[in-house]
Amino acid sequence: MHIVNPVIIRFKKTMLLMILAGVLAGCSANHEGLAQRNNETVDMSRSAWIVYWDLNSGEKDLARIGKRIGKLVYFAAYFDELDRLFVPPQLQELKNENLRKRHHAESYLSVVNDKKNISGSIILKDVDLLKRVLATDELIEKHIGDIINLAKKGEYDGIEIDYERIWKDEFLSRQFVKFANRIALKARENQLKIRIVLEPGAPFASKQFAKGPEYVVMFYNLFGTHSGPGPKANTEFINKLLVQMAELPGEKTAAFSLGGCIWGSDGKKQYITEQEAITHAKAYDAVPKRDEASQSLYFQYENDNVTYHVWYADVKTIHHWKKLAEAKGVNNIALWRLGGNPEIEKIR
């Protein structure tokens, strides 16, 4: 008969409990450490747009900026020749791929008032289109249903409404606010998040907007294809807009524009990425200078008797604008857009 020493048994039990406690503590510490690292890298206060016409370049930027983008906005669903909403197939394919990869960022489907004609040409920011789809309460409800169905079919986490050039038309602006407030309620009923993009000239203080959506204000186009050369934003413009947007209810986000614009003395103008601006400067031996009021870079060059002026933002520009917003308590930042930003990983 084998006799077991009770002292040895108690010793073994004690050692086993100590080892188990150590393992559990280690797992807890590892889990906590992982959570802390995720909190450091997954920034839900930062969002960015990826656009259907520049997906390859946009994906490269997304891979480099990593988990510092908490919300990825797929730009965009727009309208066909019969005023029907659709998502460009290549954009939805990217969304599906990111879903399969379990991409960490929340996904938003942006809806814009652009219209594709039978010829294939696109009318940007079509006001007449909005007058049709938002003409009556019944049409507003139908339009909301179409958007909700499109977002749910595509398995998006949320919806972004980006309708522009509406505020100079009294009827349309009134219908839009009615639409925006109603879709916010319908989105919540369908477990979808909602963002409303507003232009700098929107009536923030009118008290028309309902609490609930995230309001994204465009802090850009101070200068652009509608004007002569200059920065997309400067300190005075940003500070003024921050004061105005404080009137909006609930969550607020400041959207800043990457890249810039090029103006030719022949009247041609176009928006360009930061990489395109750098390429132009190198090709024509131009040395960019930094503007004090905006912290944007600018230069000019000549080609075939045409003088070109280029203004654009880099990482230092974005950091300057971001600090202005944070000083006024606006910590949510949106970046327009991914693609052609050679140092995007340096944006803090």
PDB file of all heavy atoms in Angstrom, residues 57-85:
ATOM      1  N   SER A  57      -4.347  54.337 -55.231  1.00  0.00           N
ATOM      2  CA  SER A  57      -3.559  55.280 -54.443  1.00  0.00           C
ATOM      3  C   SER A  57      -4.127  55.426 -53.038  1.00  0.00           C
ATOM      4  O   SER A  57      -3.386  55.518 -52.053  1.00  0.00           O
ATOM      5  CB  SER A  57      -3.527  56.641 -55.151  1.00  0.00           C
ATOM      6  OG  SER A  57      -2.743  57.566 -54.445  1.00  0.00           O
ATOM      7  N   GLY A  58      -5.452  55.413 -52.941  1.00  0.00           N
ATOM      8  CA  GLY A  58      -6.096  55.525 -51.638  1.00  0.00           C
ATOM      9  C   GLY A  58      -5.786  54.351 -50.734  1.00  0.00           C
ATOM     10  O   GLY A  58      -5.550  54.517 -49.529  1.00  0.00           O
ATOM     11  N   GLU A  59      -5.763  53.145 -51.315  1.00  0.00           N
ATOM     12  CA  GLU A  59      -5.440  51.956 -50.528  1.00  0.00           C
ATOM     13  C   GLU A  59      -4.005  51.998 -50.011  1.00  0.00           C
ATOM     14  O   GLU A  59      -3.722  51.539 -48.898  1.00  0.00           O
ATOM     15  CB  GLU A  59      -5.652  50.705 -51.375  1.00  0.00           C
ATOM     16  CG  GLU A  59      -7.113  50.345 -51.603  1.00  0.00           C
ATOM     17  CD  GLU A  59      -7.264  49.073 -52.395  1.00  0.00           C
ATOM     18  OE1 GLU A  59      -7.244  47.989 -51.770  1.00  0.00           O
ATOM     19  OE2 GLU A  59      -7.385  49.154 -53.631  1.00  0.00           O
ATOM     20  N   LYS A  60      -3.094  52.542 -50.814  1.00  0.00           N
ATOM     21  CA  LYS A  60      -1.697  52.659 -50.377  1.00  0.00           C
ATOM     22  C   LYS A  60      -1.589  53.586 -49.169  1.00  0.00           C
ATOM     23  O   LYS A  60      -0.878  53.298 -48.205  1.00  0.00           O
ATOM     24  CB  LYS A  60      -0.829  53.168 -51.524  1.00  0.00           C
ATOM     25  CG  LYS A  60      -0.645  52.164 -52.648  1.00  0.00           C
ATOM     26  CD  LYS A  60       0.162  52.754 -53.799  1.00  0.00           C
ATOM     27  CE  LYS A  60       0.287  51.750 -54.944  1.00  0.00           C
ATOM     28  NZ  LYS A  60       1.010  52.353 -56.098  1.00  0.00           N
ATOM     29  N   ASP A  61      -2.302  54.713 -49.208  1.00  0.00           N
ATOM     30  CA  ASP A  61      -2.311  55.623 -48.062  1.00  0.00           C
ATOM     31  C   ASP A  61      -2.929  54.959 -46.842  1.00  0.00           C
ATOM     32  O   ASP A  61      -2.433  55.101 -45.719  1.00  0.00           O
ATOM     33  CB  ASP A  61      -3.090  56.899 -48.401  1.00  0.00           C
ATOM     34  CG  ASP A  61      -2.250  57.932 -49.127  1.00  0.00           C
ATOM     35  OD1 ASP A  61      -1.117  57.597 -49.529  1.00  0.00           O
ATOM     36  OD2 ASP A  61      -2.728  59.064 -49.302  1.00  0.00           O
ATOM     37  N   LEU A  62      -4.018  54.229 -47.065  1.00  0.00           N
ATOM     38  CA  LEU A  62      -4.709  53.566 -45.955  1.00  0.00           C
ATOM     39  C   LEU A  62      -3.805  52.550 -45.285  1.00  0.00           C
ATOM     40  O   LEU A  62      -3.770  52.436 -44.050  1.00  0.00           O
ATOM     41  CB  LEU A  62      -5.983  52.896 -46.460  1.00  0.00           C
ATOM     42  CG  LEU A  62      -6.831  52.165 -45.414  1.00  0.00           C
ATOM     43  CD1 LEU A  62      -7.313  53.131 -44.340  1.00  0.00           C
ATOM     44  CD2 LEU A  62      -8.019  51.474 -46.082  1.00  0.00           C
ATOM     45  N   ALA A  63      -3.037  51.817 -46.081  1.00  0.00           N
ATOM     46  CA  ALA A  63      -2.122  50.813 -45.521  1.00  0.00           C
ATOM     47  C   ALA A  63      -1.040  51.467 -44.677  1.00  0.00           C
ATOM     48  O   ALA A  63      -0.602  50.905 -43.667  1.00  0.00           O
ATOM     49  CB  ALA A  63      -1.483  50.007 -46.656  1.00  0.00           C
ATOM     50  N   ARG A  64      -0.634  52.694 -45.053  1.00  0.00           N
ATOM     51  CA  ARG A  64       0.447  53.347 -44.329  1.00  0.00           C
ATOM     52  C   ARG A  64      -0.030  54.077 -43.080  1.00  0.00           C
ATOM     53  O   ARG A  64       0.678  54.137 -42.084  1.00  0.00           O
ATOM     54  CB  ARG A  64       1.171  54.341 -45.261  1.00  0.00           C
ATOM     55  CG  ARG A  64       2.025  53.598 -46.278  1.00  0.00           C
ATOM     56  CD  ARG A  64       2.720  54.463 -47.298  1.00  0.00           C
ATOM     57  NE  ARG A  64       2.848  55.845 -46.970  1.00  0.00           N
ATOM     58  CZ  ARG A  64       2.272  56.824 -47.667  1.00  0.00           C
ATOM     59  NH1 ARG A  64       1.468  56.535 -48.675  1.00  0.00           N
ATOM     60  NH2 ARG A  64       2.488  58.075 -47.352  1.00  0.00           N
ATOM     61  N   ILE A  65      -1.226  54.602 -43.116  1.00  0.00           N
ATOM     62  CA  ILE A  65      -1.712  55.323 -41.935  1.00  0.00           C
ATOM     63  C   ILE A  65      -2.286  54.356 -40.908  1.00  0.00           C
ATOM     64  O   ILE A  65      -2.433  54.678 -39.727  1.00  0.00           O
ATOM     65  CB  ILE A  65      -2.742  56.407 -42.325  1.00  0.00           C
ATOM     66  CG1 ILE A  65      -2.854  57.456 -41.216  1.00  0.00           C
ATOM     67  CG2 ILE A  65      -4.096  55.797 -42.642  1.00  0.00           C
ATOM     68  CD1 ILE A  65      -3.616  58.696 -41.621  1.00  0.00           C
ATOM     69  N   GLY A  66      -2.594  53.134 -41.366  1.00  0.00           N
ATOM     70  CA  GLY A  66      -2.943  52.049 -40.454  1.00  0.00           C
ATOM     71  C   GLY A  66      -4.151  52.321 -39.584  1.00  0.00           C
ATOM     72  O   GLY A  66      -5.145  52.901 -40.018  1.00  0.00           O
ATOM     73  N   LYS A  67      -4.040  51.911 -38.307  1.00  0.00           N
ATOM     74  CA  LYS A  67      -5.183  51.966 -37.398  1.00  0.00           C
ATOM     75  C   LYS A  67      -5.440  53.355 -36.827  1.00  0.00           C
ATOM     76  O   LYS A  67      -6.265  53.506 -35.937  1.00  0.00           O
ATOM     77  CB  LYS A  67      -4.980  50.957 -36.270  1.00  0.00           C
ATOM     78  CG  LYS A  67      -5.027  49.517 -36.751  1.00  0.00           C
ATOM     79  CD  LYS A  67      -4.913  48.543 -35.595  1.00  0.00           C
ATOM     80  CE  LYS A  67      -5.007  47.110 -36.086  1.00  0.00           C
ATOM     81  NZ  LYS A  67      -4.899  46.141 -34.975  1.00  0.00           N
ATOM     82  N   ARG A  68      -4.748  54.337 -37.338  1.00  0.00           N
ATOM     83  CA  ARG A  68      -5.022  55.701 -36.873  1.00  0.00           C
ATOM     84  C   ARG A  68      -6.221  56.319 -37.573  1.00  0.00           C
ATOM     85  O   ARG A  68      -6.543  57.474 -37.360  1.00  0.00           O
ATOM     86  CB  ARG A  68      -3.772  56.568 -37.049  1.00  0.00           C
ATOM     87  CG  ARG A  68      -2.725  56.289 -35.967  1.00  0.00           C
ATOM     88  CD  ARG A  68      -1.465  57.075 -36.189  1.00  0.00           C
ATOM     89  NE  ARG A  68      -0.743  56.585 -37.351  1.00  0.00           N
ATOM     90  CZ  ARG A  68       0.168  57.295 -38.020  1.00  0.00           C
ATOM     91  NH1 ARG A  68       0.425  58.524 -37.649  1.00  0.00           N
ATOM     92  NH2 ARG A  68       0.802  56.767 -39.040  1.00  0.00           N
ATOM     93  N   ILE A  69      -6.871  55.538 -38.426  1.00  0.00           N
ATOM     94  CA  ILE A  69      -8.140  55.934 -39.017  1.00  0.00           C
ATOM     95  C   ILE A  69      -9.228  55.074 -38.386  1.00  0.00           C
ATOM     96  O   ILE A  69      -9.266  53.856 -38.581  1.00  0.00           O
ATOM     97  CB  ILE A  69      -8.145  55.752 -40.551  1.00  0.00           C
ATOM     98  CG1 ILE A  69      -7.168  56.713 -41.212  1.00  0.00           C
ATOM     99  CG2 ILE A  69      -9.547  55.943 -41.114  1.00  0.00           C
ATOM    100  CD1 ILE A  69      -7.539  58.185 -41.053  1.00  0.00           C
ATOM    101  N   GLY A  70     -10.101  55.687 -37.611  1.00  0.00           N
ATOM    102  CA  GLY A  70     -11.153  54.934 -36.934  1.00  0.00           C
ATOM    103  C   GLY A  70     -12.419  54.801 -37.760  1.00  0.00           C
ATOM    104  O   GLY A  70     -13.216  53.892 -37.547  1.00  0.00           O
ATOM    105  N   LYS A  71     -12.617  55.745 -38.718  1.00  0.00           N
ATOM    106  CA  LYS A  71     -13.801  55.715 -39.571  1.00  0.00           C
ATOM    107  C   LYS A  71     -13.351  55.896 -41.018  1.00  0.00           C
ATOM    108  O   LYS A  71     -12.706  56.893 -41.346  1.00  0.00           O
ATOM    109  CB  LYS A  71     -14.777  56.835 -39.185  1.00  0.00           C
ATOM    110  CG  LYS A  71     -15.252  56.783 -37.745  1.00  0.00           C
ATOM    111  CD  LYS A  71     -16.082  58.006 -37.391  1.00  0.00           C
ATOM    112  CE  LYS A  71     -16.453  58.026 -35.919  1.00  0.00           C
ATOM    113  NZ  LYS A  71     -17.209  59.251 -35.554  1.00  0.00           N
ATOM    114  N   LEU A  72     -13.703  54.944 -41.860  1.00  0.00           N
ATOM    115  CA  LEU A  72     -13.349  55.009 -43.271  1.00  0.00           C
ATOM    116  C   LEU A  72     -14.623  55.267 -44.071  1.00  0.00           C
ATOM    117  O   LEU A  72     -15.561  54.467 -44.024  1.00  0.00           O
ATOM    118  CB  LEU A  72     -12.687  53.705 -43.717  1.00  0.00           C
ATOM    119  CG  LEU A  72     -12.199  53.661 -45.171  1.00  0.00           C
ATOM    120  CD1 LEU A  72     -11.165  54.753 -45.439  1.00  0.00           C
ATOM    121  CD2 LEU A  72     -11.614  52.289 -45.489  1.00  0.00           C
ATOM    122  N   VAL A  73     -14.632  56.382 -44.799  1.00  0.00           N
ATOM    123  CA  VAL A  73     -15.818  56.788 -45.552  1.00  0.00           C
ATOM    124  C   VAL A  73     -15.611  56.446 -47.024  1.00  0.00           C
ATOM    125  O   VAL A  73     -14.672  56.926 -47.658  1.00  0.00           O
ATOM    126  CB  VAL A  73     -16.094  58.295 -45.394  1.00  0.00           C
ATOM    127  CG1 VAL A  73     -17.404  58.661 -46.106  1.00  0.00           C
ATOM    128  CG2 VAL A  73     -16.164  58.679 -43.922  1.00  0.00           C
ATOM    129  N   TYR A  74     -16.489  55.596 -47.550  1.00  0.00           N
ATOM    130  CA  TYR A  74     -16.415  55.179 -48.945  1.00  0.00           C
ATOM    131  C   TYR A  74     -17.175  56.190 -49.798  1.00  0.00           C
ATOM    132  O   TYR A  74     -18.389  56.336 -49.679  1.00  0.00           O
ATOM    133  CB  TYR A  74     -16.995  53.778 -49.109  1.00  0.00           C
ATOM    134  CG  TYR A  74     -16.180  52.712 -48.410  1.00  0.00           C
ATOM    135  CD1 TYR A  74     -16.328  52.481 -47.033  1.00  0.00           C
ATOM    136  CD2 TYR A  74     -15.251  51.946 -49.107  1.00  0.00           C
ATOM    137  CE1 TYR A  74     -15.573  51.513 -46.380  1.00  0.00           C
ATOM    138  CE2 TYR A  74     -14.495  50.970 -48.465  1.00  0.00           C
ATOM    139  CZ  TYR A  74     -14.666  50.764 -47.103  1.00  0.00           C
ATOM    140  OH  TYR A  74     -13.920  49.798 -46.463  1.00  0.00           O
ATOM    141  N   PHE A  75     -16.453  56.880 -50.670  1.00  0.00           N
ATOM    142  CA  PHE A  75     -16.988  57.994 -51.439  1.00  0.00           C
ATOM    143  C   PHE A  75     -17.054  57.590 -52.912  1.00  0.00           C
ATOM    144  O   PHE A  75     -16.020  57.393 -53.531  1.00  0.00           O
ATOM    145  CB  PHE A  75     -16.063  59.206 -51.259  1.00  0.00           C
ATOM    146  CG  PHE A  75     -16.621  60.493 -51.770  1.00  0.00           C
ATOM    147  CD1 PHE A  75     -17.265  61.371 -50.920  1.00  0.00           C
ATOM    148  CD2 PHE A  75     -16.458  60.855 -53.096  1.00  0.00           C
ATOM    149  CE1 PHE A  75     -17.759  62.575 -51.380  1.00  0.00           C
ATOM    150  CE2 PHE A  75     -16.950  62.052 -53.566  1.00  0.00           C
ATOM    151  CZ  PHE A  75     -17.602  62.916 -52.715  1.00  0.00           C
ATOM    152  N   ALA A  76     -18.217  57.446 -53.499  1.00  0.00           N
ATOM    153  CA  ALA A  76     -19.502  57.736 -52.904  1.00  0.00           C
ATOM    154  C   ALA A  76     -20.583  57.061 -53.740  1.00  0.00           C
ATOM    155  O   ALA A  76     -20.365  56.686 -54.886  1.00  0.00           O
ATOM    156  CB  ALA A  76     -19.764  59.243 -52.865  1.00  0.00           C
ATOM    157  N   ALA A  77     -21.770  56.946 -53.123  1.00  0.00           N
ATOM    158  CA  ALA A  77     -22.960  56.599 -53.882  1.00  0.00           C
ATOM    159  C   ALA A  77     -23.484  57.869 -54.537  1.00  0.00           C
ATOM    160  O   ALA A  77     -23.497  58.934 -53.915  1.00  0.00           O
ATOM    161  CB  ALA A  77     -24.022  56.016 -52.953  1.00  0.00           C
ATOM    162  N   TYR A  78     -23.885  57.758 -55.811  1.00  0.00           N
ATOM    163  CA  TYR A  78     -24.484  58.920 -56.465  1.00  0.00           C
ATOM    164  C   TYR A  78     -25.594  58.448 -57.399  1.00  0.00           C
ATOM    165  O   TYR A  78     -26.058  57.307 -57.279  1.00  0.00           O
ATOM    166  CB  TYR A  78     -23.436  59.783 -57.167  1.00  0.00           C
ATOM    167  CG  TYR A  78     -22.572  59.127 -58.219  1.00  0.00           C
ATOM    168  CD1 TYR A  78     -22.757  59.411 -59.574  1.00  0.00           C
ATOM    169  CD2 TYR A  78     -21.537  58.255 -57.876  1.00  0.00           C
ATOM    170  CE1 TYR A  78     -21.946  58.844 -60.550  1.00  0.00           C
ATOM    171  CE2 TYR A  78     -20.720  57.691 -58.849  1.00  0.00           C
ATOM    172  CZ  TYR A  78     -20.934  57.982 -60.181  1.00  0.00           C
ATOM    173  OH  TYR A  78     -20.122  57.427 -61.148  1.00  0.00           O
ATOM    174  N   PHE A  79     -26.065  59.292 -58.306  1.00  0.00           N
ATOM    175  CA  PHE A  79     -27.302  59.028 -59.029  1.00  0.00           C
ATOM    176  C   PHE A  79     -27.044  58.739 -60.505  1.00  0.00           C
ATOM    177  O   PHE A  79     -26.162  59.336 -61.125  1.00  0.00           O
ATOM    178  CB  PHE A  79     -28.245  60.226 -58.907  1.00  0.00           C
ATOM    179  CG  PHE A  79     -28.693  60.518 -57.495  1.00  0.00           C
ATOM    180  CD1 PHE A  79     -27.855  61.216 -56.627  1.00  0.00           C
ATOM    181  CD2 PHE A  79     -29.936  60.100 -57.036  1.00  0.00           C
ATOM    182  CE1 PHE A  79     -28.260  61.487 -55.327  1.00  0.00           C
ATOM    183  CE2 PHE A  79     -30.340  60.367 -55.737  1.00  0.00           C
ATOM    184  CZ  PHE A  79     -29.501  61.062 -54.881  1.00  0.00           C
ATOM    185  N   ASP A  80     -27.866  57.833 -61.063  1.00  0.00           N
ATOM    186  CA  ASP A  80     -27.753  57.557 -62.495  1.00  0.00           C
ATOM    187  C   ASP A  80     -28.681  58.485 -63.280  1.00  0.00           C
ATOM    188  O   ASP A  80     -29.283  59.408 -62.708  1.00  0.00           O
ATOM    189  CB  ASP A  80     -28.042  56.083 -62.788  1.00  0.00           C
ATOM    190  CG  ASP A  80     -29.487  55.674 -62.523  1.00  0.00           C
ATOM    191  OD1 ASP A  80     -30.354  56.552 -62.313  1.00  0.00           O
ATOM    192  OD2 ASP A  80     -29.761  54.457 -62.531  1.00  0.00           O
ATOM    193  N   GLU A  81     -28.815  58.236 -64.565  1.00  0.00           N
ATOM    194  CA  GLU A  81     -29.595  59.137 -65.434  1.00  0.00           C
ATOM    195  C   GLU A  81     -31.078  59.141 -65.103  1.00  0.00           C
ATOM    196  O   GLU A  81     -31.809  60.057 -65.489  1.00  0.00           O
ATOM    197  CB  GLU A  81     -29.394  58.752 -66.900  1.00  0.00           C
ATOM    198  CG  GLU A  81     -29.914  57.376 -67.288  1.00  0.00           C
ATOM    199  CD  GLU A  81     -28.906  56.267 -67.004  1.00  0.00           C
ATOM    200  OE1 GLU A  81     -27.873  56.547 -66.361  1.00  0.00           O
ATOM    201  OE2 GLU A  81     -29.153  55.122 -67.434  1.00  0.00           O
ATOM    202  N   LEU A  82     -31.539  58.151 -64.322  1.00  0.00           N
ATOM    203  CA  LEU A  82     -32.953  58.079 -63.919  1.00  0.00           C
ATOM    204  C   LEU A  82     -33.143  58.465 -62.446  1.00  0.00           C
ATOM    205  O   LEU A  82     -34.157  58.135 -61.841  1.00  0.00           O
ATOM    206  CB  LEU A  82     -33.495  56.671 -64.160  1.00  0.00           C
ATOM    207  CG  LEU A  82     -33.505  56.197 -65.624  1.00  0.00           C
ATOM    208  CD1 LEU A  82     -34.011  54.759 -65.726  1.00  0.00           C
ATOM    209  CD2 LEU A  82     -34.365  57.124 -66.486  1.00  0.00           C
ATOM    210  N   ASP A  83     -32.157  59.168 -61.888  1.00  0.00           N
ATOM    211  CA  ASP A  83     -32.197  59.617 -60.485  1.00  0.00           C
ATOM    212  C   ASP A  83     -32.220  58.450 -59.492  1.00  0.00           C
ATOM    213  O   ASP A  83     -32.750  58.572 -58.386  1.00  0.00           O
ATOM    214  CB  ASP A  83     -33.415  60.520 -60.215  1.00  0.00           C
ATOM    215  CG  ASP A  83     -33.321  61.858 -60.945  1.00  0.00           C
ATOM    216  OD1 ASP A  83     -32.258  62.140 -61.538  1.00  0.00           O
ATOM    217  OD2 ASP A  83     -34.309  62.619 -60.909  1.00  0.00           O
ATOM    218  N   ARG A  84     -31.629  57.337 -59.885  1.00  0.00           N
ATOM    219  CA  ARG A  84     -31.544  56.183 -58.989  1.00  0.00           C
ATOM    220  C   ARG A  84     -30.156  56.122 -58.370  1.00  0.00           C
ATOM    221  O   ARG A  84     -29.145  56.267 -59.058  1.00  0.00           O
ATOM    222  CB  ARG A  84     -31.825  54.889 -59.752  1.00  0.00           C
ATOM    223  CG  ARG A  84     -33.216  54.796 -60.349  1.00  0.00           C
ATOM    224  CD  ARG A  84     -33.367  53.560 -61.212  1.00  0.00           C
ATOM    225  NE  ARG A  84     -32.389  53.549 -62.297  1.00  0.00           N
ATOM    226  CZ  ARG A  84     -32.432  52.728 -63.352  1.00  0.00           C
ATOM    227  NH1 ARG A  84     -33.414  51.842 -63.446  1.00  0.00           N
ATOM    228  NH2 ARG A  84     -31.499  52.786 -64.288  1.00  0.00           N
ATOM    229  N   LEU A  85     -30.110  55.874 -57.062  1.00  0.00           N
ATOM    230  CA  LEU A  85     -28.840  55.782 -56.358  1.00  0.00           C
ATOM    231  C   LEU A  85     -28.110  54.483 -56.703  1.00  0.00           C
ATOM    232  O   LEU A  85     -28.740  53.436 -56.852  1.00  0.00           O
ATOM    233  CB  LEU A  85     -29.067  55.819 -54.848  1.00  0.00           C
ATOM    234  CG  LEU A  85     -29.099  57.182 -54.156  1.00  0.00           C
ATOM    235  CD1 LEU A  85     -29.422  56.995 -52.688  1.00  0.00           C
ATOM    236  CD2 LEU A  85     -27.782  57.924 -54.324  1.00  0.00           C
TER     237      LEU A  85
END
